[in-house]
Each structure stands twice: as C-alpha cells, then as structure tokens.
C-alpha cells in the first residue's frame, strides 16, 4: 500500500500490482484520491503513521491548519480560523482481492456556520441564507465507507464501494487530495462545479479497475449536506453518475464523468442538475504536480454554467514550494437577494481568479510544517465593481502541520 499526505492523502488502489512498468521499484500506475477517484502514481507521497494489526494494515494521517484570510472591497472581510482533517484506513489483502475501511473527520463544525472569507465563492447555506463570498465549513464526518476489490483476471478486479458518507464517481478527486493543491490553503471558487459531491450522505459505487483504466457507476443522495454539520444525514439514493479514467503512465490520470443530481442545493428547490466534468492530472514524481479541468453544469430547469480550473504545485527543493491556481467561472448566485443595478440571480457573471502562493517547508517530530502565504486578484465585468470594487484582492497567511512519519 502506498501512503500519502494529509490533507491530501493518496493510497494505492488495491492489493493488485499496479506498477507502471515491470521490475522492482517500478512506480505505481496510479494512486487513489478521494472516494474512488484516481490520481497519477507519481504523485509525491507524504507522512503517515501506519502499523500492522494481525493481517490488517492500519494507517492514520492528518492535517491541522491555522489561517488568516483578508479580502478587499465592499464585500471583503477578514478572519482568523482553523481547519483540519483526520483520515484513518484499515485494509487487508487476501488471495482473492482486498478489503478496506475508511473514515475522514474534521473539527470544522466548531466554526461559525458561515465559514470563512473566499471572494466569489458560493454554495450551501448558513443561518438559512445562501453563502456568498464565503467557504462553508466541512462536516464532522466527511467519509465513512468501505471498499471490496475482487480479482477476476491478471491486473483486473471488480470493486464495490460505499457507505453512509462517501463520494460518488463524479468529477476529479477533491481539492484537498490533489497534489496540485497540496499547500494551497484556499478552496477553489469552482468547488461546486467540480467536487462538491466529495461529502455525500449515502453512496454506492461499482466498477471494474485495471492498471490502464477504471470504469465505474454510482447511485447516491443528490442533496448537498445541510448546515447542521455534526450529524450524518439520510435519504434516498435518487441520483446517479458514471466515470471513466485512464492512467496511461504513472505520470498521468485523465477522467471524464457525467452525473444527474436530484435537487442538490437547498436554495434551488425543484431544480435538478446535469453535470459533466473532464480533467487531466500530471505528476513527475519529483517536483511538479498539475491539473487542468473543465465542468459544465446544467440546471433543470435553467441554463448551463461552465467553469475551468488550472492549478499546479512546484517543489523547488526540500524546503520551498511555489503553487498557484487560475479559475474561470460563470456564476448566477453572487446576488441571491436579486439586488438590482449590480447583477441578479437570473444572470451569470463570468469571473476569473488569479492566485499565486509560496510555502516554506519545515520538518517536525510528527511530520511536516508548511508556513506560507497566497495572494489573489480577480478579473470581472464592470457591472460587479459596485459590489466588489474595481480591483478586489484576497490574501491568506497560513501555518499547517501534516501529521505522520
């Protein structure tokens, strides 16, 4: 089993040999990100605590982060806050395949319901109102799932994944798991176009997997988590998705997916979503991890809103890293109160976010500390200047510890 970093954990996919080429020491063809999503096998792996308990391999890793974000303009605000994620897995390889149990927890329900500043981000609610220019906190239980792989041929297996909390086969791996965002403290403003289903309460996924490809389908509960962050929600599996992923080499993972989601947003009752995503992930195994992705979500009834994201992490050496992200999105939720003169809920405004950041990496007794900063600017239509100012800027200072050896 390959182990990884937190908050961007990756695990080798199953008990089969997924080497990208024959021979001892060959790189694995892929790693597994959130849910059943694939990432390049050459993604850099980070610290984790692991031990053997009989025939079971137990792994634990986590991240704790303190951050200060400040954004300019009439809608800007600032806040000092913390985020965290703790992930544990228990897996056992057998003669016929592999069994794995996974859980992921966060302390973020202790934050205020309106989360923390993130200009031009939308999605979910706080105190009964839509969140705008804020990132919502994550739930206490982010994942509680199991997976069984059954070998059916050399380098090929059938698998079944699911649980009360997990992630369906839709979109790329969530942002916290991607090597291209390993040190980035800010969630993408396109989160609800690509990976908002990474916490889904009720999911079952079945598929076939091999070294070269994975094809899978999911049934899941379409409604996004509500603002009561401490509980595990229940409901019918009323939505579905399919995803195909190619891993032609340890450096590449390319996916396309489509889903039909039943009433995902509480603020859009009676409105379903058809979501298509495509992404390409690259990792050279040494310094560079990158992703390029596109999404189109069509509201039913409603219009189609598109988004693009490009992000990368470039490790300059053992102690320094540069990272950045470019996003472009058409969003019609920036004015949920139907404010006139600056835009309204019926009209999508297209915004581009340009972000750059730096992290200083310091080894610690329990893992790795990253100290850094990021700054972002935005390209937007003039119609948004009254609400956001002519040139809005957002900056974040952060200190985070990844736990493990």
């Amino acid at each position: 089993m390959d182990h990884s970093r937190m908050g961007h954990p990756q695990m080798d996919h199953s008990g089969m040999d997924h080497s990208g080429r024959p021979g001892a020491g060959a790189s694995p063809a892929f790693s597994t990100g959130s849910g059943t999503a694939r990432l390049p096998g050459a993604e850099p792996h980070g610290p984790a605590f692991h031990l053997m308990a009989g025939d079971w391999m137990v792994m634990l890793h986590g991240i704790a982060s303190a951050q200060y974000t400040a954004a300019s303009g009439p809608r800007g605000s600032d806040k000092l806050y913390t985020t965290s994620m703790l992930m544990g897995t228990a897996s056992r390889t057998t003669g016929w395949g592999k069994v794995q149990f996974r859980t992921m927890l966060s302390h973020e329900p202790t934050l205020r319901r309106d989360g923390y500043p993130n200009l031009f981000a939308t999605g979910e609610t706080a105190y009964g109102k839509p969140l705008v220019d804020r990132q919502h906190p994550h739930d206490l239980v982010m994942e509680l799932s199991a997976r069984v792989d059954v070998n059916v041929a050399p380098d090929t297996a059938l698998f079944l994944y699911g649980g009360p909390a997990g992630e369906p086969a839709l979109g790329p791996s969530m942002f916290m798991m991607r090597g291209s965002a390993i040190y980035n403290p800010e969630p993408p403003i396109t989160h609800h176009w690509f990976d908002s289903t990474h916490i889904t309460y009720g999911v079952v996924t079945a598929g076939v997997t091999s070294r070269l490809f994975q094809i899978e389908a999911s049934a899941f509960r379409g409604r996004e988590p509500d603002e009561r962050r401490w509980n595990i929600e229940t409901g019918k599996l009323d939505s579905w998705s399919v995803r195909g992923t190619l891993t032609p080499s340890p450096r590449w993972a390319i996916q396309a997916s489509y889903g039909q989601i039943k009433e995902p947003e509480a603020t859009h009752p009676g409105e379903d979503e058809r979501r298509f995503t495509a992404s390409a992930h690259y990792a050279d195994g040494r310094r560079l991890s990158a992703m390029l992705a596109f999404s189109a979500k069509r509201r039913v009834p409603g219009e189609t809103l598109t988004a693009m994201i490009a992000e990368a992490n470039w490790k300059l050496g053992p102690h320094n890293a540069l990272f950045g992200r470019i996003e472009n999105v058409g969003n019609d939720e920036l004015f949920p109160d139907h404010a006139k003169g600056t835009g309204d809920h019926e009209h999508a405004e297209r915004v581009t976010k340009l972000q750059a950041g730096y992290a200083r990496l310091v080894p610690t007794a329990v893992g790795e500390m990253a100290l850094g900063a990021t700054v972002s600017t935005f390209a937007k239509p003039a119609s948004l200047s009254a609400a956001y100012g002519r040139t809005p800027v957002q900056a974040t200072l952060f200190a985070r510890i990844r736990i493990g050896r």
Side-chain angles (χ1 to χ4, degrees):
M1 172 184 280
D2 290 323
H3 303 293
S4 77
R5 46 199 180 352
M6 187 66 187
H8 310 76
Q10 304 163 327
M11 291 165 290
D12 187 33
H13 177 72
S14 78
M16 299 181 297
D17 177 13
H18 292 294
S19 297
R21 59 186 183 275
S27 298
F30 63 88
S31 293
T32 298
S34 55
T36 58
R38 283 187 171 187
L39 291 167
E43 285 274 55
H45 295 158
F49 292 109
H50 42 292
L51 57 90
M52 293 301 299
D55 293 330
W56 291 85
M57 169 68 80
V58 178
M59 178 177 63
L60 182 69
H61 50 185
I63 186 171
S65 180
Q67 297 164 187
Y68 174 75
T69 297
S72 69
R75 285 196 173 190
S77 61
D78 68 292
K79 185 172 184 176
L80 176 65
Y81 57 98
T82 58
T83 60
S84 69
M85 187 162 60
L86 179 68
M87 184 173 183
T89 67
S91 60
R92 179 180 179 180
T93 300
T94 72
W96 50 264
K98 184 176 180 180
V99 178
Q100 184 182 78
F101 297 95
R102 299 170 64 169
T103 186
M104 191 184 304
L105 306 173
S106 175
H107 89 292
E108 291 179 27
T110 62
L111 302 178
R112 282 175 49 96
R113 291 185 179 184
D114 60 356
Y116 48 90
N118 194 13
L119 278 185
F120 294 101
T122 60
E124 303 196 16
T125 63
Y127 308 105
K129 297 182 179 180
L131 278 171
V132 182
D133 303 311
R134 309 285 293 187
Q135 169 63 35
H136 60 78
H138 288 108
D139 285 40
L140 169 67
V141 180
M142 302 174 71
E143 184 173 18
L144 186 61
S145 67
R147 174 170 174 157
V148 177
D149 288 74
V150 179
N151 300 334
V152 295
D155 197 34
T156 303
L158 301 178
F159 71 88
L160 184 67
Y161 162 90
E167 179 178 330
L170 181 60
S173 181
M174 71 169 175
F175 66 92
M176 290 178 285
M177 297 272 193
R178 302 192 294 253
S180 52
I182 182 173
Y183 299 116
N184 198 324
E186 294 183 5
I189 62 173
T190 53
H191 173 48
H192 283 260
W193 274 253
F194 290 100
D195 50 359
S196 59
T197 55
H198 78 89
I199 301 177
T200 296
Y201 285 118
V203 59
V204 176
T205 300
V208 57
T209 181
S210 75
R211 184 201 63 79
L212 178 63
F213 70 89
Q214 181 168 286
I215 300 173
E216 53 193 323
S218 298
F220 61 98
R221 177 180 181 264
R223 178 60 59 92
E224 294 177 349
D226 62 28
E227 56 187 88
R228 296 184 296 275
R229 303 289 175 182
W230 294 98
N231 62 330
I232 294 178
E233 301 166 39
T234 60
K236 296 190 299 182
L237 305 185
D238 53 13
S239 306
W240 62 269
S241 65
V242 293
R243 179 169 60 197
T245 308
L246 290 175
T247 46
S249 82
R251 295 190 174 200
W252 289 95
I254 303 165
Q255 72 84 29
S257 58
Y258 175 80
Q260 294 194 4
I261 310 173
K262 179 72 172 178
E263 296 186 7
E265 299 182 43
T267 54
H268 295 271
E271 194 172 89
D272 298 338
E273 184 180 306
R274 308 288 187 262
R275 184 184 300 180
F276 168 80
T277 80
S279 63
H281 304 250
Y282 173 82
D284 67 5
R286 299 180 303 277
R287 294 178 178 269
L288 180 64
S289 296
M291 184 193 77
L292 177 65
F294 170 82
S295 175
K297 64 177 183 181
R298 179 168 67 91
R299 294 209 176 104
V300 182
E303 63 179 319
T304 298
L305 302 172
T306 61
M308 293 171 284
I309 181 172
E311 64 183 21
N313 182 80
W314 184 29
K315 203 166 183 180
L316 303 177
H319 300 295
N320 299 283
L322 298 176
F323 58 89
R325 183 183 284 148
I326 301 173
E327 301 176 80
N328 180 275
V329 59
N331 195 337
D332 65 357
E333 296 183 315
L334 297 175
F335 299 92
D337 56 356
H338 296 262
K340 300 300 179 182
T342 56
D344 61 63
H345 181 66
E346 306 302 324
H347 178 66
E349 301 283 4
R350 187 154 291 277
V351 175
T352 299
K353 179 178 179 178
L354 305 168
Q355 180 203 43
Y358 166 78
R360 175 68 177 179
L361 313 178
V362 182
T364 71
V366 296
E368 178 189 71
M369 174 178 285
L371 305 173
T374 179
V375 62
S376 302
T377 188
F378 303 84
K380 55 172 186 51
S383 60
L384 296 181
S385 293
Y388 288 93
R390 292 184 61 183
T391 310
V393 176
Q394 180 171 292
T396 297
L397 300 175
F398 65 92
R400 58 173 52 187
I401 295 179
R402 293 192 293 143
I403 301 168
R405 291 193 180 96

